[in-house]
Amino acid sequence: ERRNNFLVALAGDPAAPALAAADLSTGEVLARPVAPGTLEAELARLEPAELLLPQSWAGRPLPGPGAPAVTYRPDAAFDPRAGAEEVRRGWRVEALEGLGFQSGDDGLVAALGALLAYLAEVQPAGLGHLRRPRIERPGETMVLDEMTRRNLELVEPLRPDLARGGCTGTLLEVLDETVTAMGARLLRRWLLAPLVAPEPIWRRQEAVAELVDDAARRRRLRAELERVRDLERLAARVAAGRATPRDLAALRDSLTALPRVRAALEAADAPPPPAGRAALLAELAAALDPLDDARALLERALADDPPATLAEGGVIREGYDPELDALRAARDGGRDFIAALQARECERTGIASLKVGYNKVFGYYLEVTRANLDRVPPDYRRRQTLANAERFVTPELEEWEARVLGAEERIAELEARRFAELRRALAAHVPRIQRAAEAVAALDVLAALARAAERRGYVRPEVHTGYRLEIRGGRHPVVETMMPRESFIPNDVVLDEDARILVVTGPNMAGKSTLLRQVGLIQLLAQIGSFVPATAARLPVVDRIFTRVGASDNLVRGQSTFLVEMHETAAILSGATRRSLVLLDEIGRGTATYDGVSIAWAVTEHLHDQIGCKTIFATHYHELTRLADLLPALRNANVAVREVGDEIVFLRRLEPGGADRSYGIQVARLAGLPPAVIERARTILHELEGAHAAVGEEP
Ligand code: ADP
Ligand code: MG
């Protein structure tokens, strides 16, 4: 329940299609154009459960990881005009503009129309709970390709097999202080779609900052949010006519919490925020419709603690329907009468052990043990014979039984009718419930980010529209949580116009990959509006973050081939702009050393000369440090180690300048290679270094 379950339809140009997606369980609908080359990334972000494609695409390879199920529909179902008709009918609008569509959105409308038509077929219960489509225009959120998403371990760990005790080591896990399912889903979405415009980032930052500053208010807010159940899914079930009595009780309790959430936000004792501040929080508070009418209806109609199913009875509250109350009184009176009958019949017959009972097959009866059968009066009629007793009825008992059963039947009918009416009445409130749910989700995420910031010691980054990236005392948000407090070593990283590329060298295990990913994660956190793990940070808004890990480090895909690595590198060279952040980890490693060095060299030159993006390149190839002499905006840095005798100690500190040696043998020794092998390796190394020196190469 903490993630979405999307059906996705694609239409238009297969290379840059229009995408429409719907999650039936939450009623969420979205449409967005897919930029060329980003389809795979888009699908990776949505993780669809099912993919809907035009029949004529059947021969093509599926885009990327695709979906568990693919359904082909006739091309005619993806026609924009038919789609427009479906969409207008679906959301009951006269014109598509009413939903935010513009001219030129034919593809989006076609995809959405195909999606709706398909859903109408597979969901005969109706689509009343689908929300208005959210149209996402390019330029609002960042596209994260699959490798970047995975390498940064945003929502899924690279090695799920290493997950221990429910702890998987993802950014989502570290940040997820949400207290509602809606918030959890939204946080996940925010992480997978960072913002790329500064204003919305600043707005979220302001809201987070305010909730960091006022801890008392944040605590109150989160305590109230905690009472709100999954309104999105409850609303979806109400709209589909599938809500159970317990669902309605959950809805009622959630609606009761809404005004309290709002009150917690208002915080009477807090000083008024400076002008222009907290616009987002105020907006969300205003959007939080307390739904008094719907709640009042539920409070009047629904029993305090209704049973799981309607059939169990007792769903409608006493005092709501006089007819129902009268029937219940009749039923209860009848039951009381029958219960009292026992005492009267005992007295009349002189059988002290006589009992009134009830079973499903025979109804009410009077039970007399064998020993007393001679005292049974003539008006008793035998109904059932047991081993040591007989069961009887009397005309009087039958008459009262008929009254009770008749009342029960009518009660069941009436309750079912009232319940259906109640559900229908609530269905009319569904769009408002959904809007309130959205506000709740956003508040929950903002409060969670604030809570995470406080708990983990994050600071507010200064997000700007310039070029310079400056992180002081930066930490890896996930790795730091896996070690004892304060034992993670913070590092500074600065990238600027005149120092755009940082080549980070250092032996294996020094901490290069960690540093690289930490920069990526800090940048991403900043662009979702979060605080960041650092002592101070000034960060630009970047248009893309690319992360690549060289083939031999990339165990995940099971296809750690050099070709894949080059394919991904090619994608960066074509997708990166001056405003991108590119993080390359041991690129070129998957081939012979000189091939690898040459490719890494050429790629770096291209990024430096042609693209101008900010780049960090972690490599154990020292040869690359020589690039600093040739490329003016390239700097060397190394993750320091100290030699102590034959051993090395990892300092985890980033220092200017390239690493002078690779320390491979020391690392091998740390890893437990036998001393004899280590000695032999040392000898060979000396010989090889001697040979290089002999032909006049640089050591
Ligand atoms: P490399 O890529 O240089 O081989 P890694 O980045 O994989 O090294 O780091 C190796 C290990 O060192 C990590 O698993 C982590 O436990 C530890 N480490 C890395 N950076 C730091 C740091 N800044 N502070 C403390 N420990 C660190
Ligand atoms: Mg590494």
Side-chain angles (χ1 to χ4, degrees):
E1 64 164 16
R2 290 175 84 85
R3 59 194 281 182
N4 280 104
N5 184 12
F6 281 114
L7 166 68
V8 170
L10 301 177
D13 173 7
L19 176 155
D23 180 344
L24 280 188
S25 61
T26 60
E28 204 177 324
V29 181
L30 63 91
R32 68 182 281 161
V34 178
T38 61
L39 178 56
E40 195 174 332
E42 288 289 1
L43 291 179
R45 180 170 75 94
L46 291 167
E47 307 170 281
E50 185 177 357
L51 202 54
L52 212 58
L53 301 176
Q55 188 62 51
S56 58
W57 294 20
R60 312 176 150 268
L62 287 176
V70 178
T71 305
Y72 291 100
R73 303 270 290 171
D75 283 28
F78 294 83
D79 172 63
R81 243 172 314 159
E85 190 48 44
E86 284 290 341
V87 172
R88 273 198 298 267
R89 192 141 32 92
W91 281 281
R92 294 189 205 91
V93 290
E94 286 291 310
L96 295 175
E97 285 70 25
L99 292 170
F101 287 104
Q102 303 163 0
S103 59
D105 281 340
D106 279 4
L108 293 181
V109 172
L112 193 57
L115 190 83
L116 273 192
Y118 177 68
L119 285 177
E121 274 176 36
V122 299
Q123 286 278 309
L127 301 169
H129 66 298
L130 285 187
R131 284 189 245 166
R132 288 162 66 95
R134 183 171 77 233
I135 303 173
E136 299 177 347
R137 305 277 172 199
E140 283 172 9
T141 61
M142 189 191 299
V143 178
L144 291 171
D145 57 80
E146 195 208 350
M147 282 322 286
T148 299
R149 196 171 63 97
R150 302 193 68 151
N151 283 323
L152 293 180
E153 301 185 277
L154 299 180
V155 298
E156 266 159 50
L158 267 179
R159 304 278 314 267
D161 49 319
L162 295 184
R164 239 180 269 125
C167 167
T168 56
T170 62
L171 183 63
L172 177 61
E173 194 168 74
V174 169
L175 289 186
D176 194 354
E177 302 279 352
T178 58
V179 293
T180 69
M182 296 162 283
R185 288 194 296 268
L186 184 63
L187 174 60
R188 191 184 170 91
R189 258 201 332 260
W190 280 17
L191 278 179
L192 295 177
L195 302 170
V196 289
E199 285 83 10
I201 297 174
W202 293 331
R203 265 160 59 83
R204 285 190 194 168
Q205 274 195 335
E206 284 297 335
V208 173
E210 207 182 321
L211 293 170
V212 167
D213 293 346
D214 191 344
R217 184 167 164 217
R218 181 188 68 236
R219 269 195 289 276
R220 252 196 325 272
L221 174 63
R222 294 179 73 231
E224 299 300 348
L225 283 170
E226 210 165 358
R227 307 155 171 279
V228 183
R229 305 277 297 279
D230 196 340
L231 278 176
E232 285 176 350
R233 297 212 167 164
L234 289 171
R237 286 207 282 271
V238 167
R242 285 190 292 110
T244 67
R246 292 255 167 92
D247 286 337
L248 293 197
L251 178 61
R252 174 196 60 204
D253 298 345
S254 304
L255 296 186
T256 309
L258 291 185
R260 305 177 55 133
V261 169
R262 201 163 156 172
L265 264 178
E266 271 152 15
D269 49 338
R277 264 195 76 171
L280 182 55
L281 282 188
E283 236 176 73
L284 290 170
L288 199 70
D289 183 343
L291 282 146
D292 290 326
D293 41 359
R295 191 199 51 218
L297 175 60
L298 277 165
E299 280 171 353
R300 258 186 296 122
L302 193 69
D304 272 342
D305 201 2
T309 62
L310 184 56
E312 287 166 72
V315 168
I316 300 297
R317 174 184 287 279
E318 249 182 76
Y320 179 64
D321 179 348
E323 190 185 350
L324 188 58
D325 290 346
L327 284 168
R328 282 176 175 157
R331 176 198 60 191
D332 297 345
R335 282 181 182 162
D336 290 348
F337 180 87
I338 291 171
L341 201 63
Q342 180 171 320
R344 266 185 27 218
E345 290 298 303
C346 283
E347 195 164 321
R348 170 158 83 100
T349 60
I351 309 171
S353 63
L354 183 143
K355 282 203 170 51
V356 168
Y358 176 82
N359 81 27
K360 278 220 164 71
V361 183
F362 295 101
Y364 287 97
Y365 54 78
L366 298 159
E367 188 174 300
V368 179
T369 56
R370 273 202 188 288
N372 294 309
L373 283 181
D374 52 334
R375 281 196 271 178
V376 165
D379 61 329
Y380 274 34
R381 263 195 305 110
R382 180 164 310 151
R383 199 172 250 195
Q384 192 187 4
T385 304
L386 302 180
N388 344 309
E390 298 271 348
R391 289 175 176 174
F392 301 89
V393 290
T394 63
E396 188 183 32
L397 181 58
E398 277 180 326
E399 186 195 324
W400 282 95
E401 173 176 41
R403 277 191 214 178
V404 170
L405 296 183
E408 274 174 353
E409 200 174 306
R410 288 180 58 204
I411 288 169
E413 273 169 27
L414 199 52
E415 275 211 309
R417 192 137 33 96
R418 293 287 167 262
F419 186 70
E421 284 164 11
L422 176 61
R423 210 155 51 182
R424 259 199 307 281
L426 289 167
H429 297 285
V430 160
R432 283 168 62 212
I433 298 174
Q434 287 168 336
R435 270 198 299 278
E438 272 168 38
V440 164
L443 286 169
D444 191 16
V445 175
L446 293 167
L449 291 178
R451 167 71 184 129
E454 180 199 63
R455 176 162 168 198
R456 315 229 178 240
Y458 293 178
V459 296
R460 178 178 181 168
E462 184 191 318
V463 171
H464 60 84
T465 53
Y467 188 89
R468 185 180 169 86
L469 175 151
E470 181 178 349
I471 298 169
R472 300 289 166 194
R475 300 162 347 245
H476 190 298
V478 180
V479 174
E480 75 163 340
T481 63
M482 301 193 161
M483 20 184 83
R485 253 187 118 68
E486 313 273 294
S487 53
F488 189 90
I489 312 290
N491 271 304
D492 297 347
V493 171
V494 179
L495 296 168
D496 207 348
E497 302 274 11
D498 59 354
R500 297 193 293 272
I501 302 188
L502 197 63
V503 173
V504 179
T505 42
N508 275 315
M509 285 302 290
K512 303 182 295 298
S513 300
T514 307
L515 179 91
L516 196 96
R517 291 188 167 111
Q518 117 189 2
V519 172
L521 289 169
I522 287 174
Q523 182 67 45
L524 183 132
L525 281 172
Q527 287 189 233
I528 68 165
S530 170
F531 282 24
V532 301
T535 48
R538 296 194 60 224
L539 300 167
V541 178
V542 304
D543 62 353
R544 297 281 300 261
I545 299 175
F546 291 97
T547 313
R548 285 300 176 278
V549 176
S552 59
D553 265 17
N554 176 10
L555 307 163
V556 198
R557 288 187 134 186
Q559 49 173 159
S560 50
T561 66
F562 179 63
L563 193 68
V564 171
E565 183 185 325
M566 286 302 106
H567 176 79
E568 289 169 352
T569 308
I572 296 184
L573 297 189
S574 67
T577 73
R578 222 180 79 82
R579 293 181 50 225
S580 307
L581 175 62
V582 175
L583 305 168
L584 301 174
D585 195 354
E586 304 279 12
I587 289 297
R589 202 186 204 181
T591 183
T593 305
Y594 285 113
D595 284 1
V597 172
S598 315
I599 290 167
W601 187 292
V603 165
T604 311
E605 272 182 358
H606 184 85
L607 293 174
H608 181 277
D609 297 341
Q610 307 299 323
I611 297 181
C613 53
K614 283 177 277 288
T615 307
I616 305 183
F617 197 149
T619 179
H620 70 294
Y621 292 137
H622 306 153
E623 289 86 345
L624 292 185
T625 58
R626 302 209 319 249
L627 275 167
D629 301 332
L630 304 169
L631 306 178
L634 183 144
R635 299 283 179 275
N636 283 320
N638 71 94
V639 188
V641 294
R642 194 169 56 210
E643 270 182 282
V644 181
D646 269 357
E647 313 252 334
I648 50 169
V649 177
F650 296 114
L651 302 180
R652 315 281 184 214
R653 226 179 25 240
L654 192 66
E655 293 182 338
D660 45 359
R661 298 180 47 191
S662 74
Y663 300 98
I665 292 178
Q666 285 91 333
V667 174
R669 186 184 151 123
L670 274 182
L673 236 54
V677 175
I678 297 289
E679 257 337 290
R680 176 69 187 134
R682 232 183 258 292
T683 313
I684 296 172
L685 177 66
H686 282 134
E687 280 170 16
L688 289 176
E689 281 175 349
H692 272 287
V695 295
E697 278 198 28
E698 264 185 63

